[in-house]
Amino acid sequence: ISHDQLYELLKYAALGKCHNATQPSWCRIYHQRHLAGVVVIVLHEMSQLHFYRFYLQFKHLRKVFRHRFTLTPSTNFLASLYGEGANLKPQNTAQGLTSTSSQCIPKSSDLQCDPIIRKYGEKKQGLTSYTLTLEEQKKNDYPIKGSPGCKGYIYTECDQQRTDSSPLFGLDCEMCLTAKGNEVTRVSLVDAQGQCLLNELVKPESTILNYRTRFSGITKKMLLPVKTRLSDIQTRIKKILPHDAVLVGHSLNADLQALEMIHPSVIDTSLLFARNEGRRFKLKFLAKAVLGKEIQCEQKLGHDPAEDARAALELAQFFIEQGPAKVAELNLEMLLTTEKLAEVSQKKAVLQPQGCRVQKQLNEPPHLSKPCFLDCLQVTGQKPLLLGRQEMDSSGLCQSNLSTSNKQILQRALEDVPLSTFSIIQFSLGPEYIASHLLAGLYEKVRSKLTDMLTIYAGPFEESFCLKSVKKEFGRCGPIQSLTVVTETYQPYVCIQYEVLEAAQLAVESLNGAEVAGSCIKVQRPITAAMLDCDVWIKELELDIENEGVIYVAGLKESLTETDLQEEFSQLKDLETLFLPKDLQSGKHRNCCFLKFQKSQSALDALEVINGGTVKGGKLRSRNALASGHLWRWIWQVNHSNGKQGGNILHEKMEQLSDSEQDLRKKVKKLDHHIKKLYRSLQNNTLCIVLFPGVNSMHGSQSGLGLMGIKDDGGRSAC
């Protein structure tokens, strides 16, 4: 995936629907509000190459995180993660450790003086605690039942007792000036999900003196065909509202007066977000500061009442869900002051001579398309944490201090992560392990090892053996990349390289000692020093959480489609997903597939059924998956790269690599242990993402790797 897609995921995970955050396009987070936090662990200057080279050492990562994805490398990885231009300053911390957290959250002592805390206290309460009392309605000129000034007003008859689960409805009206005064010309009503239930133009009874188009958006032409009158709207609103409805609006008294309607239970967001001395925040400011939404834009002709009703409703929902303390932490007065200063500064810039303006623009950095959502987190009262020993941002977001160890970073993370809702923790192997020649050497070793694991030797055969029948028999284990006859031996052997690990393993397991092309043959992998631990690799790959409940099936007819296979395997219990690999160049289906089951036992039962020959379709072979998801694609890329991806391999440095790799294995193992310790300390329902950023340098590039999941009660990750 691209960094924009990763940014999309992190922004939504951190902010939910605030600040224009939306569900990521490539995956889905269900019940974002239930997330306890987001923790991103960045393994500095490491790529998916490191993950697969040190697969056995990354014991915790491969057994916990079931979701994996390839990541495009970037020159400024962290800035691409959270956007640029953050207004965060690094804290001075002990032992040179660099840490960043929110600086604009008011202290608890300051909160006590906040008008919101003085009015509502600090604890969260239900919506009934925020509805206006009868006295408050009278004081703020709300239409009251039985009041002398409300004769002829329509009562909504919503008399049922309100509870904290009563439904909320957002209401807003636009008015024009008539001979009678302010009369309604447009009405919008939205439900708790923001769905528009009513959005109607209304023709006033009196002659219109001023359309107030700049604010109302109403023109003479718009109202000419309209026949709807105020009485029609009153009837419709009465019909829509349930008996326990709570109306929400910004200065809602003006809307109800214009509608000539009385409703007993209201939440007024202009009063809810309390200020000193009876002042009120404008709806436009609150929508931007609290929700991150731009409304009442100057480019639009007038206000959109549906947009305003929805904004007021979401503001009330935010207040109820977050509670007064969180709202007070937004420090709205300070944000308003900052906004006004910015406006003044902008006006001054406009008044400057043209030459000065041009010079200023030339000196300014280019506009950033991705704003830093860490700033948005601060605005919503959350405390982002950045922690690491490498330079975490080119703008100085975190200063570089290479004297700090991963152990010290871990200790600080164990203390600080529980206090933050969004954390980025960066570990590093150190500069001595990321030299270009070491990276190229690692790549060559991984490529060589994978090639050996995909390769088998079979024989001996008779001099005049039928190569076609050998290829057919071994082809039933899976797609063959190459087949050559070895003639250096006394009797001929064949060397077969498969496209998938499962095919090679299946050939060793099912054909070793079998009679093929008239000869009893031995099937084995190449015998090299790197292959001595091949059996350990196979065992650990089977135990990889990505392969849980997944089996590999070979011997399929290449003409079969996914639909055909779904029908063929329909008798298998708890079958969840079928993956039919394609050649990534030609797009043709291979003669194998992967089946994922809801339960591990169902996968084992399916193996018995398929290997027992009771599935229609003929002689199929199957086994537990080894590389069902991400690894399968990566193996294909390595197989087709011909060793070019790693740059120029410096053969004279390979001996040095062997010495360094021993130390590197120990470092990686310790790093895996650090991540395990940090992961275990996280609260349940924490989204945890581990990122190998990849390498993008003049010496070549290596793709990154992401592993993610939501920690559940069992300590594993689930999404």
Side-chain angles (χ1 to χ4, degrees):
I1 67 166
S2 68
H3 287 89
D4 285 344
Q5 290 172 312
L6 185 57
Y7 170 86
E8 197 180 43
L9 167 70
L10 294 177
K11 185 177 179 181
Y12 181 76
L15 297 171
K17 294 181 180 177
C18 296
H19 293 268
N20 296 323
T22 55
Q23 278 278 12
S25 56
W26 58 282
C27 65
R28 193 162 189 84
I29 298 176
Y30 293 96
H31 310 298
Q32 181 274 340
R33 290 179 182 177
H34 296 162
L35 286 180
V38 180
V39 175
V40 182
I41 299 169
V42 179
L43 305 182
H44 182 63
E45 291 287 354
M46 295 180 74
S47 66
Q48 59 181 335
L49 171 64
H50 291 83
F51 179 75
Y52 289 119
R53 177 58 186 159
F54 302 107
Y55 181 83
L56 297 180
Q57 283 73 31
F58 281 119
K59 191 174 181 180
H60 172 72
L61 289 189
R62 57 188 164 83
K63 288 191 176 179
V64 170
F65 296 94
R66 68 172 72 241
H67 301 283
R68 296 172 196 173
F69 51 88
T70 299
L71 199 55
T72 310
S74 168
T75 49
N76 194 353
F77 180 73
L78 282 163
S80 68
L81 269 192
Y82 46 67
E84 300 182 18
N87 294 319
L88 298 173
K89 294 179 181 178
Q91 292 179 337
N92 293 323
T93 61
Q95 302 167 319
L97 196 64
T98 58
S99 172
T100 312
S101 61
S102 176
Q103 301 292 314
C104 66
I105 309 300
K107 295 176 182 177
S108 57
S109 56
D110 297 334
L111 287 180
Q112 303 306 317
C113 305
D114 192 284
I116 290 174
I117 300 299
R118 290 205 307 269
K119 184 174 181 179
Y120 301 109
E122 291 190 45
K123 292 184 178 179
K124 281 188 192 181
Q125 301 174 73
L127 68 87
T128 51
S129 302
Y130 305 117
T131 55
L132 296 182
T133 63
L134 185 60
E135 285 304 313
E136 286 174 320
Q137 289 188 41
K138 287 178 181 177
K139 183 181 175 182
N140 290 285
D141 195 30
Y142 272 82
I144 307 294
K145 192 176 180 181
S147 175
C150 299
K151 285 183 181 177
Y153 279 30
I154 301 299
Y155 186 56
T156 58
E157 296 179 10
C158 298
D159 289 324
Q160 191 173 316
Q161 187 175 355
R162 269 59 177 184
T163 67
D164 290 338
S165 57
S166 291
L168 297 175
F169 293 83
L171 177 69
D172 188 69
C173 301
E174 297 301 333
M175 277 80 81
C176 292
L177 181 65
T178 71
K180 184 181 174 182
N182 283 331
E183 286 194 67
V184 171
T185 47
R186 193 172 184 180
V187 184
S188 289
L189 184 72
V190 299
D191 64 15
Q193 285 71 47
Q195 297 295 317
C196 198
L197 306 176
L198 181 68
N199 191 16
E200 287 280 345
L201 291 168
V202 186
K203 182 162 280 187
E205 298 289 344
S206 307
T207 305
I208 295 176
L209 304 177
N210 188 341
Y211 283 91
R212 293 176 170 169
T213 304
R214 182 185 164 197
F215 302 104
S216 69
I218 304 298
T219 62
K220 183 177 181 179
K221 187 178 179 181
M222 287 169 67
L223 289 181
L224 279 176
V226 175
K227 295 182 180 179
T228 305
R229 297 290 185 176
L230 180 60
S231 58
D232 301 319
I233 293 297
Q234 290 169 336
T235 303
R236 287 185 65 182
I237 290 176
K238 225 177 139 178
K239 190 174 180 180
I240 290 170
L241 295 178
H243 293 300
D244 62 340
V246 176
L247 283 179
V248 179
H250 198 77
S251 297
L252 188 57
N253 57 306
D255 300 296
L256 289 173
Q257 291 284 8
L259 283 169
E260 298 183 7
M261 294 188 78
I262 299 167
H263 188 76
S265 186
V266 294
I267 293 176
D268 189 332
T269 50
S270 72
L271 300 170
L272 184 66
F273 290 82
R275 296 182 73 187
N276 288 321
E277 300 169 4
R279 294 172 296 165
R280 302 188 190 190
F281 291 114
K282 290 182 179 179
L283 180 63
K284 179 181 172 74
F285 166 74
L286 286 176
K288 185 177 180 181
V290 179
L291 306 174
K293 290 187 174 181
E294 293 281 355
I295 64 169
Q296 301 174 359
C297 300
E298 290 180 10
Q299 296 88 344
K300 292 181 181 178
L301 183 65
H303 298 177
D304 178 351
E307 182 181 64
D308 290 358
R310 198 174 286 116
L313 177 77
E314 288 179 14
L315 284 166
Q317 289 171 329
F318 180 91
F319 198 106
I320 294 162
E321 288 168 9
Q322 298 296 324
K326 283 287 185 186
V327 175
E329 284 180 359
L330 298 181
N331 211 345
L332 293 171
E333 288 292 349
M334 186 198 75
L335 290 173
L336 183 61
T337 304
T338 306
E339 188 179 83
K340 286 180 178 177
L341 286 171
E343 286 175 4
V344 171
S345 176
Q346 204 171 26
K347 285 176 183 176
K348 283 182 179 178
V350 171
L351 293 171
Q352 285 178 350
Q354 187 68 25
C356 297
R357 270 211 320 273
V358 171
Q359 184 62 43
K360 185 172 184 290
Q361 288 167 1
L362 288 173
N363 292 333
E364 283 176 350
H367 174 72
L368 296 167
S369 58
K370 287 198 306 186
C372 179
F373 67 79
L374 298 187
D375 288 342
C376 302
L377 279 169
Q378 290 183 334
V379 167
T380 54
Q382 300 180 61
K383 299 181 181 181
L385 170 73
L386 303 183
L387 191 61
R389 60 172 173 159
Q390 301 300 123
E391 186 178 352
M392 295 187 79
D393 180 66
S394 57
S395 64
L397 194 60
C398 277
Q399 298 169 350
S400 177
N401 190 322
L402 302 179
S403 62
T404 305
S405 69
N406 286 335
K407 187 177 181 181
Q408 289 170 324
I409 293 171
L410 172 65
Q411 288 169 345
R412 186 62 190 270
L414 292 173
E415 294 170 13
D416 290 358
V417 168
L419 306 176
S420 173
T421 54
F422 185 92
S423 307
I424 297 180
I425 312 300
Q426 189 185 60
F427 293 112
S428 173
L429 292 174
E432 67 271 25
Y433 294 108
I434 55 175
S436 60
H437 71 274
L438 292 178
L439 189 64
L442 280 180
Y443 178 81
E444 178 58 23
K445 286 201 168 191
V446 171
R447 191 192 65 77
S448 177
K449 177 126 185 173
L450 280 175
T451 300
D452 284 349
M453 290 183 73
L454 290 164
T455 302
I456 59 103
Y457 287 91
F461 293 98
E462 297 295 331
E463 289 290 341
S464 58
F465 78 100
C466 177
L467 185 60
K468 187 176 180 180
S469 62
V470 170
K471 187 174 183 179
K472 182 179 179 182
E473 189 62 43
F474 279 89
R476 286 181 52 220
C477 294
I480 294 173
Q481 182 168 317
S482 65
L483 186 151
T484 55
V485 179
V486 180
T487 56
E488 289 88 346
T489 50
Y490 177 69
Q491 287 180 281
Y493 282 75
V494 291
C495 174
I496 298 172
Q497 186 177 334
Y498 284 99
E499 291 186 15
V500 293
L501 287 176
E502 290 86 354
Q505 186 63 20
L506 204 51
V508 172
E509 291 169 347
S510 62
L511 295 176
N512 185 35
E515 187 174 310
V516 178
S519 300
C520 184
I521 61 168
K522 182 178 182 180
V523 180
Q524 61 185 351
R525 285 194 171 89
I527 301 173
T528 63
M531 289 296 287
L532 293 175
D533 61 358
C534 180
D535 290 342
V536 178
W537 268 77
I538 296 298
K539 182 182 176 184
E540 293 301 324
L541 283 167
E542 283 184 346
L543 295 174
D544 192 304
I545 192 171
E546 197 180 29
N547 294 322
E548 191 175 286
V550 183
I551 65 171
Y552 166 82
V553 182
L556 306 173
K557 293 177 182 176
E558 292 187 13
S559 59
L560 290 175
T561 64
E562 209 162 305
T563 307
D564 296 331
L565 291 173
Q566 288 282 6
E567 185 182 343
E568 188 166 322
F569 296 124
S570 59
Q571 69 187 75
L572 301 177
K573 187 183 175 185
D574 297 327
L575 179 59
E576 186 179 297
T577 311
L578 185 149
F579 169 54
L580 185 58
K582 292 181 181 179
D583 184 295
L584 298 182
Q585 282 181 335
S586 68
K588 291 181 180 179
H589 289 304
R590 319 318 271 147
N591 68 336
C592 62
C593 72
F594 293 93
L595 305 179
K596 180 172 176 57
F597 294 84
Q598 294 170 9
K599 299 174 185 176
S600 298
Q601 186 56 50
S602 300
L604 294 175
D605 295 341
L607 284 176
E608 274 191 47
V609 171
I610 294 169
N611 290 330
T614 56
V615 171
K616 64 177 182 178
K619 301 174 182 177
L620 302 179
R621 289 174 175 156
S622 66
R623 75 168 324 279
N624 291 321
L626 299 172
S628 62
H630 177 268
L631 180 57
W632 181 86
R633 293 173 182 82
W634 198 69
I635 288 171
W636 190 93
Q637 290 168 355
V638 171
N639 264 343
H640 290 77
S641 65
N642 296 320
K644 293 175 184 175
Q645 193 175 340
N648 294 321
I649 297 170
L650 309 179
H651 294 284
E652 66 271 17
K653 299 282 188 177
M654 290 300 279
E655 286 184 19
Q656 182 184 337
L657 172 65
S658 297
D659 296 334
S660 301
E661 201 172 345
Q662 292 300 321
D663 294 335
L664 197 48
R665 280 199 186 96
K666 292 175 185 175
K667 283 244 178 195
V668 169
K669 194 172 181 180
K670 193 172 284 187
L671 187 58
D672 184 67
H673 182 72
H674 287 340
I675 297 171
K676 177 182 178 181
K677 199 167 183 179
L678 177 57
Y679 183 81
R680 285 186 172 177
S681 73
L682 302 178
Q683 292 183 59
N684 287 332
N685 295 325
T686 297
L687 174 64
C688 186
I689 303 176
V690 180
L691 298 174
F692 294 72
V695 180
N696 195 3
S697 69
M698 60 184 290
H699 302 289
S701 67
Q702 290 289 343
S703 295
L705 174 68
L707 303 95
M708 70 174 177
I710 297 171
K711 186 183 176 188
D712 61 17
D713 293 323
R716 279 189 168 185
S717 291
C719 275

